[in-house]
Amino acid sequence: MNSTENINTDIAKSAAAANRGINQAGNATQDAISKAAEIAHPAVDRFTAGAHQAVEKLMNVASSTADTVAHRSEQLMDAQERLVEDCRTYVRQKPVTALAIAAGIGYVLSHLLSKRH
């Protein structure tokens, strides 16, 4: 055998060894990735379940808050209607007193607002 054939044989052996090493490293990496995925999968499932529970709780709180706000809004509207009706009744029963009160409030407000400017 001549030296060129020896070099070619050595290169072929080295290439084959490198190829086996690359295949082994690739297989080991794929095994490691598979094991990591198996380990991470339950954690991801727990995280997902926890996130779903948190969103569900938040939705329940938001819904409850919206219901409370709607109820309070109705109460305020009822109180406003009663107040307006009470004022109308008072003005009908005592128009001169109501006019004097309105004039007094107007004077005080104009006096306060004119001092600001």
Side-chain angles (χ1 to χ4, degrees):
M1 214 185 244
N2 67 25
S3 65
T4 304
E5 289 177 356
N6 287 339
I7 291 173
N8 286 341
T9 303
D10 288 343
I11 291 173
K13 287 180 182 177
S14 295
N19 194 20
R20 281 191 303 274
I22 290 169
N23 286 336
Q24 288 174 349
N27 290 336
T29 302
Q30 288 179 350
D31 290 345
I33 290 170
S34 294
K35 287 179 183 176
E38 288 174 13
I39 291 170
H41 189 66
V44 169
D45 287 345
R46 284 192 304 272
F47 174 77
T48 303
H52 283 294
Q53 289 175 348
V55 168
E56 194 169 315
K57 285 180 184 178
L58 184 60
M59 287 172 46
N60 289 339
V61 168
S63 177
S64 174
T65 302
D67 290 344
T68 301
V69 167
H71 181 67
R72 296 290 184 202
S73 175
E74 288 175 14
Q75 287 177 336
L76 286 173
M77 288 173 56
D78 290 343
Q80 178 188 6
E81 288 176 13
R82 284 192 307 273
L83 180 62
V84 168
E85 189 56 39
D86 289 348
C87 287
R88 284 183 181 151
T89 302
Y90 184 81
V91 168
R92 284 186 188 122
Q93 291 174 351
K94 300 179 182 181
V96 175
T97 305
L99 184 61
I101 291 172
I105 291 173
Y107 174 77
V108 170
L109 285 176
S110 69
H111 187 63
L112 290 174
L113 293 175
S114 67
K115 285 189 175 186
R116 286 188 175 183
H117 296 288

